[in-house]
Amino acid sequence: MKREASCSCGTLSITAKGEPVKISVCHCRECQRRTGSAFGVAVFFDKERVAASGASNSYTRSGDSGRSIEFRFCPACGSTVFWMPEFREDLVAVALGCFDEPSSLVPEQSVYEENRMGWVGLDLLGGDCQSRKP
């Protein structure tokens, strides 16, 4: 299976082959700031199964682990399409909302629940949610 994802204007895109390694909802304050929403959703793929095309800019920050996370975003529209966490060097995370068919990708875990907005309720994998820190 091949999945396509792109930014809002279509300048930056990514193709991922195969099934994701995991799909995670993150409620950390940094994901809230990055998305401008209550949480972010990362679809993780093995690095060697992902190919990006188009121009991108990057922003690198430190995560709670002290290791860096490099975010790649479109220089035209600003959409963050994917990122590479140093603590998981073999994986690339792709923003769920950037996929052509995001509804086919269902999160299986929720992390940083202590920062979850009180009005957010998730039914992950039929209610079998793993809530933990990454």
Side-chain angles (χ1 to χ4, degrees):
M1 169 173 272
K2 186 166 79 168
R3 297 180 191 273
E4 304 285 336
S6 65
C7 64
S8 292
C9 71
T11 298
L12 176 59
S13 63
I14 196 160
T15 301
K17 294 179 183 174
E19 292 300 315
V21 172
K22 75 175 181 171
I23 305 172
S24 181
V25 174
C26 183
H27 301 277
C28 80
R29 289 294 296 136
E30 293 302 325
C31 280
Q32 291 170 353
R33 286 183 183 99
R34 178 182 58 80
T35 64
S37 185
F39 53 83
V41 183
V43 183
F44 290 92
F45 289 91
D46 289 320
K47 191 175 192 173
E48 69 272 359
R49 301 183 72 105
V50 173
S53 63
S56 69
N57 287 343
S58 69
Y59 169 70
T60 302
R61 70 166 176 84
S62 290
D64 287 349
S65 67
R67 295 183 177 172
S68 68
I69 305 168
E70 180 185 355
F71 296 89
R72 301 303 240 152
F73 60 94
C74 175
C77 69
S79 300
T80 300
V81 177
F82 64 99
W83 54 98
M84 290 85 57
E86 183 182 19
F87 74 98
R88 299 225 166 118
E89 293 180 345
D90 57 330
L91 300 179
V92 172
V94 182
L96 175 80
C98 292
F99 282 97
D100 290 345
E101 296 181 32
S103 63
S104 68
L105 299 160
V106 180
E108 57 209 28
Q109 73 175 14
S110 181
V111 297
Y112 290 95
E113 285 281 318
E114 65 272 17
N115 296 96
R116 182 177 55 85
M117 302 291 168
W119 50 265
V120 171
L122 300 171
D123 182 21
L124 303 180
L125 293 179
D128 187 20
C129 172
Q130 297 176 15
S131 178
R132 61 184 170 90
K133 275 194 155 185

